Amino acid sequence: MLTLTRHNLRLIIDACWWIFVAAWFLASLRTKQVERRWSWGQQIGYWATFFPATALLFGPFGSFGDILPETRVRLIAGVILTVAGLAVALWARAALSTNWSGAVTLK
C-alpha cells in the first residue's frame, strides 16, 4: 500500500507529468499533415502569453513553493488536480485524435 508521504505525493505528481509528456510525444507522431498554418502576426497573441507563462512555471517561482508553503493538504489537492488534469488532457487528445495541433492550423 502506498503511504501518502510528501515524497510519495511529489512522485505521483512527477509521474503524471512524465505520462503527459510521453503521451503527447507519441500522439504527435500520428497527426495529419498541415494544409495551412496561421501567419506569425496571427499567432502573436499565443506567443505573447506562452513565454510569460513558461517563465512563471520554470523561473524563480517554479511551482510557487516560495509563495505558498508546502503542506500535506496542499500536496494531496495538487495530486487530485494533477490526476484530473491529466485525465482531461488525455481524453481531449484522444477525442481530437489526428486533428490535434499545437498551433492554429487547417488540417
Side-chain angles (χ1 to χ4, degrees):
M1 171 138 180
L2 180 65
T3 308
L4 295 179
T5 63
R6 286 183 178 189
H7 177 72
N8 288 341
L9 291 170
R10 290 183 140 271
L11 286 177
I12 294 169
I13 292 172
D14 290 346
C16 286
W17 279 107
W18 282 111
I19 290 168
F20 173 80
V21 168
W24 240 247
F25 173 74
L26 292 173
S28 73
L29 300 175
R30 295 180 288 130
T31 58
K32 292 179 183 176
Q33 282 288 74
V34 174
E35 288 184 26
R36 192 180 70 196
R37 199 178 288 273
W38 276 21
S39 70
W40 173 256
Q42 293 169 315
Q43 291 189 33
I44 195 74
Y46 168 78
W47 292 109
T49 57
F50 175 79
F51 288 117
T54 302
L56 284 174
L57 283 173
F58 300 107
F61 292 112
S63 62
F64 298 100
D66 295 338
I67 297 172
L68 299 173
E70 184 179 281
T71 65
R72 190 167 176 210
V73 172
R74 286 199 174 115
L75 279 172
I76 291 171
V79 166
I80 292 168
L81 289 172
T82 304
V83 169
L86 176 63
V88 169
L90 294 176
W91 167 81
R93 185 66 191 242
L96 291 173
S97 187
T98 58
N99 291 318
W100 184 88
S101 177
V104 178
T105 58
L106 176 65
K107 292 189 175 205

